[in-house]
Amino acid sequence: MLRTLRAFWHDQRGVALILVSIMLPAIIGFSLLVIDMSRANNLHNDLQKAADAFALAAAAELDGSAGAWARAERAMDKLVKNRSYFSTADVPTLTAGQPGGSLNANSAGNISWKFLKTLPQNDSSAVTSTQYADADKAKGEKESAYIQVTVTPTGFRSLFPASFLTGNAADNAFNVGAKAVAGFRSSVCDYTPVFMCNPYENTSITGGVTLEQAAQSQQYRRRQIILRGDGSYAPGNFAFLSAPDGNGAKALENMLASSKPLACYSRNGVDTEPGQNAGPVKNGLNTRFGINTGYTGADYGPAVNVRKGAKNGNQCVKDNKVQYETDVSKGVGLERDSCHIAGNCTMMGGRMGAGDWNSSRYWTVNHPSRGALPTELVGATRYEMYRYEIDKNIYQDKAVGGETGIPACGTPVTKVDRRILYGAILDCIALQASGVKFNGRSTGLPVRAFGSFFLTEPIKDGKNIYVELVDITGKGGRGTLDNFLRDEAQLYR
């Protein structure tokens, strides 16, 4: 009997069953926790993807122009729908809505959003009302650079029986939400390091015409504008941006002369740099007209069409040797607006013409064998005339005085239009009112748009650049600058 009891006492068979029985609740509980965490993570992942998609769709519309808020709402409403799984609401479809586009913070469908002008310096810091775009729609849309989207939290019920342990049924349920912040970044590359003060910022001196309206209308694009680099920052003036090659006179001249300046600039903010205006600009830009300014090589060739009303025809002469026709019956370049010729322009402090250049005389003198001005060129801009000569292959025609558009210095550059000057357009009046000092280095200045301007003639006096507006980036543009643009919406949080 004693031997039997001793044997039973030392017998370990079946002990695993006892241990499993003891540990089974813990094993089951841990398994349920793993399943719950996976389900909750999947739910949060679905919600986060929805928040990200809503934010990115909206951010792509924040270009600083009128109607940006309404377009952002429409993008969220029409472009994004996402389903979430494992919530207490079965499999809901996450949607937005269009409550009107008039508020800087609103909600619709399953989401709420806030339009932001800035972000906190630290990612760990919460967005506060100080980051909100202005509640005034006109101001707020202009400064909206980001959007914060919050998905309405949805209920999640766990399998793990926490309520069994606590006696509180609510312990088995909690809410899962998601939040995302996205912004719109528009940049240009291969741009010259130049900015212009918006010539159409003060609409009281432009006849009520805005920059966007001017870019869309042939009538206003014909207006010849004098860009001046005289150290003041009124509409129509120009100065320099911080350039990767430096802002010394020679570096600036080189970038202005090059057909591929290695510089990229963001619409969110550019850095200005004080620099010398007259010398670098004249030498750099006149290279594009087939004038010998000392630059050689494939990247520094002239434009295909360099007709400019030169008296000495197509000779390759140095800058200070160029003579221009004084007899308009023998040769003219793309003539100035009448008030620029007479010196009595009134718009923009005398620097904007009325767009009434003499296109008929230009055609008659420079294409004497081709009859009257073609119908399609009636009312054309100077740039359209210039392009017509290239596209129809008639820039080789001899003017009455003998000049053609064929450059005599260097091999023409064909990969870009050399008579287009690219630059950032800043609202200098508003920036100065906000405290910006342009006479020194300024950083992070917002860009109204990036623009292209046609150089209507070489720089003759070393100071003034005569141009026509060709196009701008953004909603008011005509799409000719798309090759330069790098538009992207990106997540910041």
Side-chain angles (χ1 to χ4, degrees):
M1 183 64 181
L2 184 60
R3 182 180 299 147
T4 302
L5 291 174
R6 186 179 293 112
F8 178 77
W9 178 257
H10 291 287
D11 190 350
Q12 296 184 8
R13 289 176 296 177
V15 70
L17 180 61
I18 299 173
L19 294 175
V20 168
S21 299
I22 296 172
M23 294 298 298
L24 188 60
I27 294 172
I28 294 175
F30 183 76
S31 300
L32 292 178
L33 282 175
V34 171
I35 295 171
D36 283 342
M37 288 299 295
S38 177
R39 292 170 61 239
N41 184 68
N42 284 337
L43 174 58
H44 180 266
N45 193 43
D46 289 342
L47 298 179
Q48 189 62 57
K49 285 181 179 178
D52 293 348
F54 283 121
L56 287 169
E61 302 298 330
L62 300 181
D63 60 356
S65 64
W69 289 355
R71 292 195 304 273
E73 290 181 2
R74 179 173 176 80
M76 291 189 289
D77 183 41
K78 298 298 183 182
L79 300 181
V80 182
K81 284 185 180 179
N82 198 12
R83 306 185 79 187
S84 62
Y85 294 84
F86 302 112
S87 78
T88 56
D90 195 21
V91 186
T93 299
L94 305 175
T95 61
Q98 301 180 60
S102 59
L103 300 177
N104 63 351
N106 216 326
S107 63
N110 308 96
I111 68 170
S112 61
W113 58 87
K114 300 178 179 71
F115 294 109
L116 312 175
K117 59 183 177 182
T118 58
L119 294 178
Q121 291 186 347
N122 299 317
D123 287 344
S124 58
S125 301
V127 171
T128 66
S129 58
T130 59
Q131 276 86 46
Y132 289 8
D134 198 290
D136 180 88
K137 183 180 176 182
K139 296 179 181 178
E141 288 184 323
K142 188 175 181 179
E143 65 185 13
S144 293
Y146 311 93
I147 184 171
Q148 177 178 269
V149 173
T150 302
V151 175
T152 303
T154 185
F156 174 82
R157 187 172 296 279
S158 66
L159 298 174
F160 185 80
S163 59
F164 175 78
L165 301 176
T166 64
N168 185 355
D171 287 345
N172 270 22
F174 55 91
N175 290 331
V176 177
K179 188 178 293 185
V181 175
F184 180 67
R185 182 180 177 87
S186 180
S187 303
V188 292
C189 288
D190 301 336
Y191 246 57
T192 44
V194 172
F195 76 86
M196 296 87 168
C197 291
N198 181 4
Y200 288 90
E201 183 179 5
N202 187 350
T203 55
S204 65
I205 61 175
T206 62
V209 182
T210 66
L211 178 65
E212 290 74 20
Q213 291 170 331
Q216 288 290 329
S217 170
Q218 183 189 58
Q219 173 189 353
Y220 299 126
R221 293 199 307 276
R222 281 200 307 268
R223 291 178 174 180
Q224 192 177 40
I225 301 169
I226 300 176
L227 299 178
R228 287 180 181 161
D230 57 11
S232 62
Y233 298 93
N237 281 4
F238 75 90
F240 296 114
L241 298 173
S242 180
D245 293 337
N247 279 71
K250 193 60 181 177
L252 288 169
E253 179 181 300
N254 182 73
M255 292 193 72
L256 289 170
S258 175
S259 61
K260 192 175 178 62
L262 301 178
C264 293
Y265 298 102
S266 170
R267 185 177 180 276
N268 292 0
V270 293
D271 300 340
T272 63
E273 187 82 24
Q276 303 176 43
N277 289 345
V281 173
K282 182 177 181 180
N283 295 336
L285 296 186
N286 280 1
T287 297
R288 306 175 182 214
F289 283 87
I291 297 172
N292 181 5
T293 59
Y295 282 95
T296 59
D299 288 339
Y300 301 96
V304 172
N305 180 3
V306 297
R307 194 187 298 273
K308 50 190 174 290
K311 188 174 184 178
N312 42 11
N314 293 75
Q315 301 175 39
C316 182
V317 297
K318 290 187 177 181
D319 186 58
N320 60 358
K321 300 288 186 180
V322 176
Q323 298 178 22
Y324 296 93
E325 285 282 3
T326 55
D327 185 345
V328 294
S329 67
K330 292 184 178 180
V332 290
L334 294 163
E335 293 187 87
R336 299 176 182 179
D337 287 349
S338 61
C339 70
H340 284 312
I341 296 173
N344 59 1
C345 293
T346 57
M347 285 190 291
M348 206 177 73
R351 285 174 288 172
M352 180 180 287
D356 58 350
W357 74 290
N358 197 331
S359 56
S360 294
R361 180 162 60 193
Y362 175 88
W363 181 265
T364 301
V365 172
N366 291 298
H367 305 284
S369 64
R370 297 190 181 272
L373 181 71
T375 303
E376 59 265 45
L377 290 178
V378 175
T381 67
R382 295 168 184 80
Y383 180 64
E384 289 165 346
M385 176 71 77
Y386 157 84
R387 287 305 316 178
Y388 185 90
E389 291 177 316
I390 295 174
D391 296 340
K392 298 296 184 181
N393 204 32
I394 60 173
Y395 63 92
Q396 305 98 327
D397 287 357
K398 283 189 177 182
V400 175
E403 183 194 25
T404 74
I406 303 172
C409 293
T411 303
V413 173
T414 58
K415 57 187 177 182
V416 295
D417 197 327
R418 290 286 278 151
R419 286 181 63 177
I420 295 290
L421 175 64
Y422 302 98
I425 302 175
L426 307 186
D427 285 336
C428 294
I429 297 174
L431 288 170
Q432 289 179 106
S434 67
V436 173
K437 305 293 185 183
F438 283 106
N439 56 352
R441 182 178 300 171
S442 297
T443 60
L445 301 186
V447 176
R448 172 69 174 268
F450 291 100
S452 55
F453 295 83
F454 175 60
L455 300 167
T456 63
E457 62 183 60
I459 300 175
K460 300 171 183 177
D461 60 6
K463 181 174 64 174
N464 293 337
I465 308 175
Y466 285 82
V467 301
E468 280 183 341
L469 174 66
V470 177
D471 201 2
I472 61 172
T473 57
K475 297 296 181 183
R478 298 180 296 119
T480 63
L481 297 176
D482 288 351
N483 288 340
F484 293 91
L485 279 174
R486 308 288 191 274
D487 282 349
E488 56 183 16
Q490 67 181 62
L491 289 170
Y492 288 85
R493 292 188 171 197

